[in-house]
């Protein structure tokens, strides 16, 4: 069937390419003309494993096109997926201005029934606002409906996640809307949760906030382990073997970042408060996450005494492995905190350095390196900030030989303690015993 996807960023582009591969005829719409030009030329703009090849293949098959014109998107399909950004406002609530702008543009172009689907993460009851806005700005007598179909893909595995979802959530106002979305997702055989739009909107925020709670919980346990010479890795392993808990999102370290979890937790706290509920459970998760960066700084201070003018390698700037996304990056936060302490930073990331450069103010105390070895050369310490495979597989003897003082602070608990000891590194993981300099 014909599908329009509005907003072709991390979610929208993967969704557009995925729908096309399923056989739908997809038009992707974005207001960013430069992005659309690159997409039209087969350049995915973002780094996401497997995406570039699929983009080119679907364009070649004639099933995927891009435009800047929302009106063309409205003409193209009976179903319009909105995938625009919903960042945080200063008070933590979701900034829905991109949503509202798109909805007004859709309303102006409506010429007959369309199903408008929110795929962006939005606060509960947004679908009512979308409905009202369509009613206000469209011509009388035109039919439309609004549904919620939240997205659960993970950056770095987004293509895989598109084709292998744990479940699909369809918040629909009617049988007609349910049937249309059912046709879109017919090729998937995973559980489908069919519900009302309000419930679907809450499901997304409830999931992300729960994941944040899980991460902050294990990081709190890591803090206890550090004070009691226990090992959080083994605690997490044993917890994860309990089927009621499960092993995922129990990795102690620098905490969660990215464009979703931090802002979704903030938004959910705000939504709870708007409805007279005390969501301090989530405020605590957020507070624990915020002190992760300081925890890394403290480890560096304990190792180096004075940070001023020290050369520190920060290995990893993407907020997680296999993406170039640096929004909410803990690695960038570490770099900023180091610069505030007077240190010099040498930054390495295999895919995210260019995007990091856009966000970090230029300074003669910041250097970007193409290789891990360039970052480590002459460094007083290194911080592992992103769990890239390259870092897991490091030649540790070479690390020791390359650095000025072989001190590694492992913000992602990537390295093996015995291997680190054998290589002669001083090593400070998170929630696990350190290895002293010998
Ligand atoms: N990134 C993720 O891993 C992820 C996962 C699940 C859900 N989400 C949610 O999906 C939504 C999109 O996230 P993202 O990471 O893809 O954002 P993004 O910033 O990468 O992409 C948003 C796109 O929307 C475009 N856009 C904005 N206003 C527009 C307009 N008026 N007309 C046309 N295009 C417009 C932007 O140019 C941009 O390309 C957010 O609500 C986010 O919370 C994101």
């Amino acid at each position: 069937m014909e599908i329009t996807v509005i907003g072709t960023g991390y979610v929208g582009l993967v969704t557009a390419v995925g729908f096309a591969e399923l056989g739908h005829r997809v038009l992707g719409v974005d207001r960013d003309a430069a992005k659309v030009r690159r997409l039209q030329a087969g350049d995915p703009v973002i780094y996401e494993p497997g995406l570039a090849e699929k983009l080119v293949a679907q364009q070649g098959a004639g099933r995927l096109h891009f435009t800047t014109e929302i009106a063309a998107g409205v003409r193209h399909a009976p179903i319009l997926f909105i995938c625009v950004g919903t960042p945080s406002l200063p008070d933590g609530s979701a900034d829905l201005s991109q949503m509202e702008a798109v909805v007004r543009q859709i309303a102006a172009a409506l010429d007959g029934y369309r199903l408008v689907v929110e795929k962006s993460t939005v606060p509960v009851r947004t679908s009512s606002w979308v409905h009202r806005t369509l009613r206000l700005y469209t011509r009388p007598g035109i039919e439309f409906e609004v549904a919620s179909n939240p997205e659960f893909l993970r950056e770095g595995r987004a293509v895989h996640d598109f084709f292998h979802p744990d479940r699909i959530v369809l918040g629909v106002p009617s049988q007609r809307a349910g049937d249309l979305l059912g046709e879109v997702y017919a090729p998937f055989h995973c559980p489908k949760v069919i519900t009302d739009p309000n419930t679907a909107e809450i499901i997304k925020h409830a999931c992300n906030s729960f994941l944040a709670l899980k991460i902050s919980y294990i990081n709190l346990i890591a803090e206890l382990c550090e004070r009691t010479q226990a090992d959080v890795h083994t605690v997490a392993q044993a917890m994860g073997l309990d089927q009621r808990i499960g092993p995922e999102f129990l990795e102690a370290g620098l905490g969660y970042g990215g464009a979703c979890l931090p802002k979704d937790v903030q938004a959910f706290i705000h939504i709870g408060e708007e409805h007279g509920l005390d969501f301090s459970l989530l405020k605590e998760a957020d507070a624990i996450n915020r002190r992760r960066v300081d925890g890394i700084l403290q480890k560096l201070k304990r190792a180096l005494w004075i940070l001023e003018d020290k050369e520190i390698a920060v290995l990893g700037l993407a907020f997680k492995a296999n993406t170039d996304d640096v929004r909410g990056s803990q690695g960038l936060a570490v770099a900023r905190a180091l610069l505030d302490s007077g240190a010099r930073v040498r930054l390495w990331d295999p895919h995210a350095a260019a995007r990091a450069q856009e966000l970090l103010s230029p300074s003669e105390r910041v250097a970007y390196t193409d290789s891990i070895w360039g970052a480590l050369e002459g460094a007083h310490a290194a911080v592992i900030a992103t769990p890239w495979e390259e870092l897991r597989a490091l030649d540790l003897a070479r690390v020791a030989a390359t650095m000025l003082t072989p001190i590694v602070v492992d913000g992602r608990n990537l390295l093996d303690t015995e291997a680190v000891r054998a290589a002669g590194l001083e090593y400070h993981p998170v929630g696990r015993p350190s290895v002293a300099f010998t």
Side-chain angles (χ1 to χ4, degrees):
M1 66 191 292
E2 272 72 29
I3 292 177
T4 291
V5 175
I6 304 172
T8 54
Y10 285 89
V11 164
L13 182 59
V14 172
T15 302
V17 169
F19 282 154
E21 188 163 311
L22 291 175
H24 299 306
R25 289 165 298 281
V26 182
L27 183 59
V29 184
D30 206 286
R31 67 175 175 188
D32 180 340
K35 182 180 277 191
V36 167
R37 270 196 302 279
R38 287 175 65 181
L39 291 172
Q40 285 168 338
D43 168 1
V45 183
I46 55 168
Y47 171 69
E48 187 62 48
L51 184 61
E53 300 82 341
K54 287 188 186 296
L55 167 68
V56 172
Q58 292 314 312
Q59 288 175 306
R63 280 192 292 267
L64 179 57
H65 299 273
F66 296 95
T67 178
T68 53
E69 299 300 323
I70 284 193
V74 172
R75 280 195 303 277
H76 173 73
I79 183 158
L80 317 170
F81 285 86
I82 305 183
C83 303
V84 298
T86 50
S88 282
L89 285 169
D91 68 356
S93 64
D95 177 354
L96 298 172
S97 55
Q98 293 180 35
M99 271 311 271
E100 198 257 2
V102 164
V103 173
R104 274 192 290 128
Q105 284 173 276
I106 292 172
L110 276 187
D111 54 0
Y113 177 83
R114 297 292 185 284
L115 178 62
V116 177
V117 185
E118 313 160 345
K119 197 172 252 310
S120 300
T121 303
V122 292
V124 57
R125 293 206 175 142
T126 298
S127 76
S128 309
W129 279 106
V130 171
H131 196 278
R132 177 177 159 76
T133 306
L134 288 169
R135 180 54 65 226
L136 283 174
Y137 292 95
T138 199
R139 278 177 289 138
I142 302 240
E143 268 191 290
F144 55 81
E145 289 183 288
V146 182
S148 164
N149 168 220
E151 180 53 60
F152 299 95
L153 61 75
R154 295 161 290 182
E155 283 180 33
R157 306 193 46 171
V159 174
H160 171 273
D161 287 356
F162 177 88
F163 289 104
H164 304 93
D166 291 339
R167 71 333 206 163
I168 291 168
V169 175
L170 303 176
V172 289
S174 70
Q175 183 70 40
R176 182 183 191 181
D179 288 349
L180 260 177
L181 275 168
E183 206 180 325
V184 171
Y185 285 109
F188 291 92
H189 299 293
C190 63
K192 290 173 187 157
V193 180
I194 318 282
T195 183
D196 60 89
N198 287 354
T199 305
E201 289 164 346
I202 288 185
I203 288 170
K204 175 63 191 177
H205 271 133
C207 285
N208 271 7
S209 296
F210 188 77
L211 295 175
L213 278 175
K214 221 174 159 190
I215 295 171
S216 282
Y217 184 73
I218 201 64
N219 279 327
L220 182 63
I221 304 297
E223 289 177 13
L224 179 63
C225 288
E226 287 185 0
R227 287 166 201 216
T228 53
Q229 289 77 54
D231 187 337
V232 75
H233 182 69
T234 309
V235 174
Q237 214 172 24
M239 283 176 69
L241 288 169
D242 187 324
Q243 290 183 11
R244 294 167 303 176
I245 298 174
E248 295 208 52
F249 282 69
L250 281 182
E251 281 141 16
L254 253 171
Y256 55 83
C260 290
L261 256 52
K263 71 133 170 112
D264 290 348
V265 167
Q266 287 300 324
F268 213 28
I269 291 170
H270 205 271
I271 292 163
E273 286 174 349
E274 261 181 2
H275 292 85
L277 289 167
D278 178 1
F279 268 31
S280 30
L281 177 68
L282 293 182
K283 284 187 187 162
E284 198 46 44
D286 180 53
I288 292 168
N289 200 56
R290 284 176 195 271
R291 61 180 190 248
R292 305 315 302 155
V293 170
D294 190 51
I296 296 297
L297 262 275
Q298 294 311 321
K299 284 178 194 292
L300 284 167
K301 280 183 189 161
R302 281 197 293 274
L304 291 172
W305 189 13
I306 303 296
L307 291 181
E308 196 167 351
D309 285 332
K310 293 280 163 43
E311 297 274 353
I312 316 283
V314 178
L315 305 177
L317 301 168
F319 84 95
K320 68 196 294 197
N322 297 322
T323 179
D324 59 350
D325 197 349
V326 293
R327 296 175 291 181
S329 149
Q330 299 288 74
L332 264 185
V334 167
R336 286 197 186 97
L338 284 167
L339 290 168
D340 289 345
S341 302
R344 301 172 166 273
V345 292
R346 308 165 69 92
L347 309 177
W348 169 84
D349 192 285
H351 290 282
R355 290 195 192 275
Q357 220 156 344
E358 289 167 15
L359 293 191
L360 199 63
S361 314
S363 154
E364 50 94 23
R365 289 191 288 123
V366 180
Y368 294 87
T369 65
D370 288 337
S371 78
I372 297 172
W373 306 108
L376 292 175
E377 181 78 51
H380 295 90
V383 177
I384 295 179
T386 309
W388 285 107
E389 271 315 306
E390 292 93 322
L391 296 170
R392 220 182 280 276
L394 270 180
D395 173 349
L396 298 179
R398 187 173 167 196
V399 172
T402 304
M403 296 178 71
L404 187 66
T405 49
I407 298 168
V408 175
V409 174
D410 188 350
R412 297 297 177 185
N413 285 352
L414 281 197
L415 305 184
D416 174 68
T417 305
E418 285 318 310
V420 157
R421 198 188 308 278
L425 291 173
E426 177 172 319
Y427 180 60
H428 303 282
V430 174
R432 310 186 73 185
S434 291
V435 173
F437 183 61
T438 48

